[in-house]
Amino acid sequence: STPLPLPDMVPLDKEEAYCLGVITGDGCITGSHVEITCSSLDVLSQVQKHWGKRPVYQRSNCWDIRYYDKVLVERLLRWGFPQGKKEDKLSIPLPIAKGSMETIAAFIAGLLDTDGHADPDRNRIRLVTASPHLATQVRFLLGLLGIPSGQTVSLPTGRGKLKTYTIQIANTAVDDLLERVGPYMIRKERWDCLRTPERHSHGDILPWTWSDTKKVSGVNIDTIHKRTPA
């Protein structure tokens, strides 16, 4: 019998890998479109560079962009991205699991630019998810990059119905992450607070290679619509 072909298992470039990290963190597939809701115009601008320009809608404290693209939706579904509510169903897209160190780093950058949190007081980076599969897989990818991480599990509280899994990267591991993943991050202002004097004194530690983030906003996003919150 003829073996079934793997779904689009082709090498990804770093731009596509970053976009996959963004949609894993702040995106969803709703019906026939991909929607990304993010608090950073710089991140959406980077997505537009790769997936094409679309109108951006302004909400109270974030921005919303939608891709009515059947090919994109079908590709993401083949790569394992869930449709509809995704909280506990997320996992690493299939091509990332087979990707190069560069594409893995770019994917982690997109995920942290959307769902990561910097804690300068404790010199750590945190990523919280309701998906145990995603937590395990992200820690595996970090290990491939030589970045140690820890994990805690919290029981549901308040109205929450799901456990949450917190990945923590702390102390010297922060240096490792900023060196290996930092070149692909867009939200420089989010991570600058973690830069120690030693990091500031070595300009090669954080080579923000894609763009000058101070100039990104507004350059690639032409149409911004104000939307009244529902």
Side-chain angles (χ1 to χ4, degrees), residues 153-174:
V153 182
S154 301
L155 296 175
T157 59
R159 296 183 179 180
K161 297 180 181 179
L162 300 172
K163 293 180 181 179
T164 56
Y165 303 82
T166 301
I167 300 170
Q168 299 190 55
I169 304 157
N171 302 319
T172 56
V174 173

Side-chain angles (χ1 to χ4, degrees), residues 23-112:
I23 191 175
T24 300
D26 276 353
C28 64
I29 298 177
T30 304
S32 60
H33 69 274
V34 177
E35 183 170 352
I36 302 172
T37 302
C38 183
S39 60
S40 170
L41 280 175
D42 293 334
V43 170
L44 294 184
S45 178
Q46 185 62 39
V47 171
Q48 286 194 333
K49 286 181 181 179
H50 190 65
W51 282 351
K53 294 183 180 181
R54 297 294 188 277
V56 175
Y57 296 91
Q58 182 177 3
R59 300 192 179 192
S60 58
N61 59 351
C62 59
W63 311 89
D64 183 272
I65 187 171
R66 297 181 181 186
Y67 285 89
Y68 291 88
D69 185 330
K70 183 178 180 181
V71 174
L72 176 61
V73 169
E74 290 180 348
R75 185 165 78 244
L76 292 174
L77 291 175
R78 287 198 303 271
W79 287 349
F81 199 86
Q83 192 164 23
K85 292 185 177 181
K86 63 172 188 174
E87 287 86 353
D88 58 338
K89 302 180 181 67
L90 281 172
S91 60
I92 298 299
L94 291 174
I96 298 298
K98 298 281 187 177
S100 65
M101 294 298 103
E102 182 182 57
T103 56
I104 289 173
F107 172 82
I108 295 295
L111 185 58
L112 290 177

